[in-house]
């Protein structure tokens, strides 16, 4: 019973608009959007500051202007999810900085945190020719502090029925297509746009991508084009509102497209749901570098996999979603306690 107490307190604390947002113990919530009380991308509009509080700008000191290279999503206080193709040969992690809580990259305020990168993990089967498994994780130098402008993203496991989600958005500081001035084609202010999820079969049909899209991808945009992610948006999130509650899932990582905003050539995203257990395995392995045995990975990933069905369930009751890390900690705690109790009995 005592164990349930923190859970109940957490649930009580995180109703939209009334929560304490500093603890990084929920995900997908948008305190500023609740506060606003209404809630580049090609064809998008300026986002309001805090609309997508898990989005980060990954920058390199070697690039001109703001140094913006790619987007990413904060999935735990110390890990960012991004795209593998952002970290090609010419990119050194020592040159990188991760800007969190920003809106206008040319005017970083007090609410912004700037971090360095401790390590980058690219998917071991990322293929730069086919763009298969275009996903990566960055470990930050230290954990972030959550706030009205900095929140964790929710990553769904395979139990979320992604294709049923209808309120989906992309955001990023990438090329807007409007400014053709060569030196700085990217957006300073975060752009956002609503997109439609497009069935993979349609997306892979002959006048579209003709089989180039992988089964672990998501297609999103519009058949007629016009609104799309573009260069510089890569690594950033494709996000959908939960069907039953007011929080967002990061269902995709911006990966590629043929041009930007062209008809029948929508944006292609790596499905986070598909890589859910890969992500957990990497986080687990990074936390316990000594216990690197395959069977260990397998048990923990399937174990967590089951437990993390909870964000979906939480949503049906209208309560708040749990980030991967909090669930992991909570259930590990319960498991340890049960083990101790069992041990005492025997
Ligand atoms: N590969 C691009 C990048 O590095 C993202 C392209 C997305 N393209 C698209 N048409 N949706 O930023």
């Amino acid at each position: 019973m005592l164990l349930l107490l923190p859970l109940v307190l957490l649930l009580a604390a995180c109703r939209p608009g009334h929560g304490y947002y500093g603890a990084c113990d929920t995900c997908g919530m948008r305190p500023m959007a609740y506060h606003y009380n209404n809630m580049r991308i090609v064809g998008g509009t300026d986002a309001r500051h805090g609309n997508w509080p898990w989005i980060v700008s990954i920058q390199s000191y070697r690039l001109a202007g703001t140094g913006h290279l790619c987007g990413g999503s904060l999935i735990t206080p110390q890990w960012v999810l991004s795209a593998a193709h952002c970290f090609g040969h010419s990119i050194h992690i020592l040159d990188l900085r991760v800007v969190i809580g920003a809106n206008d990259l040319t005017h970083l305020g007090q609410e912004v945190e700037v971090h360095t990168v401790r390590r980058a993990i690219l998917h071991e089967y990322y293929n730069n020719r086919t763009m298969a498994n275009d996903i990566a994780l960055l470990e930050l130098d230290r954990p972030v502090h959550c706030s009205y402008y900095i929140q964790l993203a929710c990553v769904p496991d395979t139990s979320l029925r992604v294709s049923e989600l209808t309120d989906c958005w992309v955001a990023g500081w990438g090329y807007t297509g409007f400014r053709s001035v060569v030196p700085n084609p990217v957006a300073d202010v975060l752009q956002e746009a609503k997109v439609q999820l497009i069935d993979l079969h349609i997306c892979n049909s002959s006048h579209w991508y003709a089989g180039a899209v992988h089964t672990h991808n998501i297609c999103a945009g519009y058949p007629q084009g016009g609104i799309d992610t573009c260069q510089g948006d890569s690594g950033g999130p494709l996000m959908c509102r939960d069907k039953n509650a007011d929080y967002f899932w990061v269902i995709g990582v911006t990966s590629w497209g043929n041009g930007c905003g062209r008809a029948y050539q929508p944006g292609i995203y790596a499905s986070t749901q598909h890589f859910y257990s890969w992500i957990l395995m990497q986080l687990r392995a990074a936390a316990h570098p000594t216990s690197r045995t395959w069977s260990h990975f397998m048990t923990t990933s399937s174990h967590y996999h089951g437990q993390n069905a909870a964000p979906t369930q939480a949503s049906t009751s209208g309560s708040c979603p749990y980030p991967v890390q909090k669930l992991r900690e909570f259930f590990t705690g319960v498991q340890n306690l049960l083990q101790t109790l069992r041990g005492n009995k025997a």
Side-chain angles (χ1 to χ4, degrees), residues 201-262:
H201 292 106
I202 297 177
C203 201
N204 248 338
S205 61
S206 52
H207 289 101
W208 296 56
Y209 280 119
V213 181
H214 302 274
T215 49
H216 60 254
N217 286 138
I218 291 175
C219 282
Y222 295 88
Q224 70 275 24
I227 298 176
D228 195 6
T229 45
C230 200
Q231 273 23 281
D233 292 321
S234 283
L238 165 63
M239 309 163 281
C240 300
R241 193 189 296 271
D242 187 76
K243 270 179 87 176
N244 305 297
D246 197 8
Y247 68 90
F248 279 81
W249 296 100
V250 169
I251 65 155
V253 172
T254 306
S255 179
W256 60 276
N258 179 16
C260 303
R262 296 189 190 169

Side-chain angles (χ1 to χ4, degrees), residues 7 28 33 51 66 86 92 103 118 160 187 238 246 258 263 267 271 278 288 292 324 333:
L7 198 65
N51 254 7
T66 60
C86 292
H92 302 286
N103 194 51
R118 186 185 281 180
L160 182 72
L238 165 63
D246 197 8
N258 179 16
S271 162
W278 180 83
H288 304 281
R292 270 176 183 270
V324 171

Side-chain angles (χ1 to χ4, degrees), residues 277-296:
S277 39
W278 180 83
I279 294 169
L280 281 189
M281 269 201 280
Q282 304 311 315
L283 299 189
R284 180 77 182 176
H288 304 281
T290 47
S291 54
R292 270 176 183 270
T293 71
W294 182 242
S295 64
H296 173 77

Side-chain angles (χ1 to χ4, degrees), residues 40 46 104 106 173-189 191:
R40 215 166 256 211
D46 286 6
D104 181 343
T106 61
W173 287 276
Y175 186 48
T176 58
F178 299 129
R179 294 191 212 173
S180 47
V181 203
V182 177
N184 191 9
V186 293
D188 292 335
V189 175
Q191 299 293 298

